[in-house]
Amino acid sequence: MGLLKSKKQNREMTLGRTTEAASKQMSKLTCGQVMHTARKVNEMDSMDSVISTMIAKDWDHVMITDERDYLVGRVHAVDMLKLIARNRINRELNWMEGVPISQAVTLPAQHVYTHTPLMVAAMLLLTNDLSQIGVVDDYGSLVGMVSNADVSRHLTRLLL
């Protein structure tokens, strides 16, 4: 019986060390290491051109930046559809050609820095019910984005 107990204790100690090592690796993993290219448009682009871009590239969201590449906000396709449905006049959508996309931003820009731990980004994504978040450099310029898929891909790789 003592032999079985010692094997079980040994296994638990090994699992504990493995979990501890994975935890250390997860805390060191930053957004800058796992981010991918942001889907971005300029804040002065018309809603019409942004919708055309989103359709052509099969995007469900875009990050809005100003002329210095600072993150202004994020617009999701569903938000665009709601705006179009509210403002449709006699089935005409010509008004979208003169409206800048920055007017479609409904929430302040959520972002993390390149040196932010991925676990912090995961927490922000979950608590704010977002599917992606912008990654900015130390100067505030958009350099990429991290999505729920990125979090899942990298954190599960460390856990398994």
Side-chain angles (χ1 to χ4, degrees):
M1 198 65 169
L3 183 62
L4 289 176
K5 189 174 183 181
S6 65
K7 282 185 178 181
K8 183 179 178 184
Q9 286 173 339
N10 202 14
R11 193 172 128 243
E12 287 173 357
M13 287 175 51
T14 304
L15 286 175
R17 276 186 259 144
T18 304
T19 305
E20 187 178 311
S23 178
K24 283 182 182 179
Q25 283 183 317
M26 281 190 279
S27 65
K28 290 180 182 178
L29 195 58
T30 65
C31 293
Q33 293 171 307
V34 302
M35 70 180 182
H36 57 279
T37 305
R39 301 166 176 171
K40 65 181 179 178
V41 295
N42 186 281
E43 68 179 339
M44 296 311 294
D45 290 348
S46 72
M47 284 183 54
D48 186 55
S49 69
V50 171
I51 289 172
S52 297
T53 301
M54 289 174 76
I55 291 169
K57 297 186 177 187
D58 197 25
W59 292 350
D60 63 347
H61 74 280
V62 289
M63 301 287 180
I64 313 299
T65 59
D66 65 9
E67 65 278 351
R68 296 169 298 186
D69 245 4
Y70 291 169
L71 186 61
V72 173
R74 174 183 162 274
V75 174
H76 198 276
V78 173
D79 298 330
M80 299 284 283
L81 288 172
K82 289 177 184 176
L83 188 62
I84 290 168
R86 275 190 301 235
N87 293 321
R88 188 170 57 189
I89 304 165
N90 298 329
R91 300 196 180 272
E92 293 292 326
L93 297 174
N94 295 338
W95 60 270
M96 291 190 314
E97 294 173 3
V99 177
I101 192 64
S102 59
Q103 290 188 14
V105 175
T106 56
L107 298 171
Q110 293 279 336
H111 68 274
V112 293
Y113 292 94
T114 53
H115 52 79
T116 302
L118 187 60
M119 289 298 292
V120 172
M123 181 189 67
L124 286 170
L125 288 167
L126 285 171
T127 56
N128 293 300
D129 195 26
L130 297 171
S131 53
Q132 59 280 124
I133 193 165
V135 179
V136 299
D137 61 14
D138 290 333
Y139 303 105
S141 296
L142 183 68
V143 293
M145 68 180 196
V146 171
S147 68
N148 286 328
D150 297 322
V151 171
S152 298
R153 184 177 315 113
H154 291 282
L155 294 183
T156 53
R157 181 175 46 96
L158 292 173
L159 291 173
L160 298 177

